Amino acid sequence: MDERCSSPDHVRLSLAAAMTLDLVPGLFYRNARLGCINLLLTYPGGCAANCAYCGLSNTRVGEYEDKSFIRVAWEVYALDEVIGRIVERESYLARACVSMVTHRQAPADMREVVSRIRSRSSTPISVLITPTPLSREDLVAMKDAGADRVGIAIDAAREGIFDDMRGEGVRGPHRWERYWAFFEEAIEVYGRDMVGSHFMVGLGETEREMAEAMQRIRDMGGVTHLFSFFPEPETRLTDWPQPPMGQYRRMQLARYLIDEDVGRADRFGFDADGALVSFGIPDDELERVLASGEPFMTSGCPGEDGCVACNRPYANSLPGPDIRNFPFQPSEEDLEKVRSELWSK
């Protein structure tokens, strides 16, 4: 990668974002529309982390600029061009999200990129951050530059899984305690409901462990943005299976109940294997939630209208009938299928 094409003057864009900004041609399945432009910092040396499931892992075969991320290409574009196209589309774009990789320049470049977007656009800005190289002062600086929300991808629901897949088990720099402590600091700086965790269902945790991790986040004042594991080719987890659809549907519903303060993990019922068997709320309340379809839509940062902006179309499943996160309101036919999947194994 040419040193001149690195951040902060250049960023990588998700394929969905590039399509939305008319930088590449394409159509979304079922006319889904992306509400958030995702920008990723980029460097010739790539990311210093080595997460077992990540397409940007420094031990994955290939040149860094050619590596996919979340199973799609992220091409490099000039930041000024990206901002100009965001400004032209402000009438329907609800948010921009600047994401960092683990790199020594990333803290300063996050502030710079956020500031440059804010200087030209009124679009709300989130930052998706890696606690490892950051300080509390960096959190404050990004907020002062114009970011109003923070995302922190903890990903694994249990410490042992985190260590095996992100920490010492893969000779990676990330540490479980650091992520949780920094999440608490982020809430202190940005406020309740303004910091989101990312968790990935299907890394070997039980349903009880995932529910309890999401409840811990909620009790701290945060919310959860939930993903289904979807293997990236040529990573350590290439052959790791996706979680069963029933498991993911139960965790989506659990997340919604927890984040909306309708239910709590300590009131859910679990069997001896840690599988969720009841949600601990009245049947009529559960039916109301199911009928809304909202638990099965993508969870992410909202726009100014309060609706999810970061809807990441098809980020953790292929376009088609087996959608895991609906990037739009599910139809009655969709919900009928979801109901049939909810208690499946």
Side-chain angles (χ1 to χ4, degrees):
M1 178 179 172
D2 191 327
E3 186 76 37
R4 293 170 298 180
C5 291
S6 65
S7 295
D9 292 330
H10 291 77
V11 293
R12 297 176 77 172
L13 289 185
S14 69
L15 176 60
M19 287 166 56
T20 300
L21 296 182
D22 294 324
L23 290 163
V24 297
L27 297 172
F28 290 109
Y29 175 69
R30 287 179 61 177
N31 296 317
R33 177 181 245 180
L34 180 69
C36 177
I37 299 301
N38 307 104
L39 305 84
L40 178 68
L41 300 189
T42 187
Y43 303 99
C47 180
N50 198 25
C51 302
Y53 46 81
C54 183
L56 300 180
S57 168
N58 61 31
T59 59
R60 188 186 184 197
V61 176
E63 296 296 323
Y64 183 73
E65 61 266 28
D66 296 329
K67 292 179 180 179
S68 61
F69 181 46
I70 322 178
R71 298 176 62 95
V72 298
W74 288 58
E75 299 296 337
V76 177
Y77 297 94
L79 177 62
D80 285 343
E81 179 180 15
V82 172
I83 296 173
R85 290 181 180 243
I86 290 173
V87 170
E88 291 171 357
R89 293 157 179 80
E90 282 187 336
S91 62
Y92 62 83
L93 287 178
R95 182 164 288 275
C97 180
V98 183
S99 303
M100 66 180 286
V101 295
T102 306
H103 192 281
R104 65 183 181 278
Q105 291 176 219
D109 289 344
M110 288 290 285
R111 298 192 298 272
E112 174 70 12
V113 172
V114 170
S115 179
R116 284 166 66 172
I117 296 171
R118 175 54 65 241
S119 69
R120 295 174 58 188
S121 172
S122 60
T123 302
I125 304 170
S126 298
V127 287
L128 180 56
I129 60 175
T130 303
T132 301
L134 295 176
S135 67
R136 184 187 183 95
E137 289 70 28
D138 292 318
L139 284 171
V140 173
M142 285 184 277
K143 184 177 182 180
D144 289 345
D148 69 333
R149 288 180 179 266
V150 170
I152 299 177
I154 302 173
D155 288 349
R158 173 161 48 86
E159 183 175 5
I161 298 173
F162 185 100
D163 290 344
D164 287 346
M165 296 194 176
R166 310 199 69 191
E168 294 177 352
V170 290
R171 298 183 179 179
H174 302 317
R175 297 295 179 265
W176 174 261
E177 296 85 357
R178 171 63 175 159
Y179 266 66
W180 284 93
F182 203 72
F183 195 95
E184 188 169 25
E185 285 191 61
I187 291 172
E188 291 171 358
V189 173
Y190 283 78
R192 183 176 178 82
D193 297 331
M194 304 303 282
V195 184
S197 65
H198 286 193
F199 283 110
M200 195 182 304
V201 175
L203 293 180
E205 79 289 341
T206 67
E207 293 175 33
R208 179 193 287 272
E209 288 170 336
M210 181 59 74
E212 289 176 346
M214 294 189 291
Q215 188 65 61
R216 180 179 177 184
I217 289 292
R218 188 62 190 145
D219 290 345
M220 293 171 68
V223 295
T224 292
H225 306 155
L226 198 66
F227 295 76
S228 170
F229 172 74
F230 195 20
E232 191 98 32
E234 299 170 345
T235 61
R236 283 182 171 88
L237 298 192
T238 295
D239 298 321
W240 194 281
Q242 277 200 284
M245 189 67 89
Q247 178 185 354
Y248 191 58
R249 293 297 184 218
R250 290 188 290 276
M251 291 299 93
Q252 285 180 302
L253 185 49
R255 180 213 64 82
Y256 183 87
L257 296 176
I258 290 168
D259 277 0
E260 296 297 317
D261 301 314
V262 175
R264 289 187 55 86
D266 51 19
R267 296 175 190 159
F268 296 167
F270 301 91
D271 67 16
D273 296 322
L276 200 153
V277 295
S278 66
F279 290 97
I281 62 173
D283 289 346
D284 60 343
E285 180 71 359
L286 184 61
E287 175 54 34
R288 180 193 66 78
V289 171
L290 284 170
S292 74
E294 292 181 9
F296 312 106
M297 296 172 67
T298 309
S299 50
C301 290
E304 292 179 328
D305 61 0
C307 297
V308 171
C310 189
N311 59 345
R312 307 181 296 276
Y314 320 114
N316 55 195
S317 61
L318 295 174
D322 293 323
I323 299 172
R324 295 205 169 210
N325 289 350
F326 288 91
F328 43 70
Q329 178 68 43
S331 67
E332 288 301 319
E333 183 178 352
D334 293 327
L335 291 179
E336 183 177 346
K337 186 172 186 295
V338 165
R339 288 172 186 275
S340 73
E341 295 165 340
L342 184 59
W343 295 112
S344 64
K345 296 297 185 182

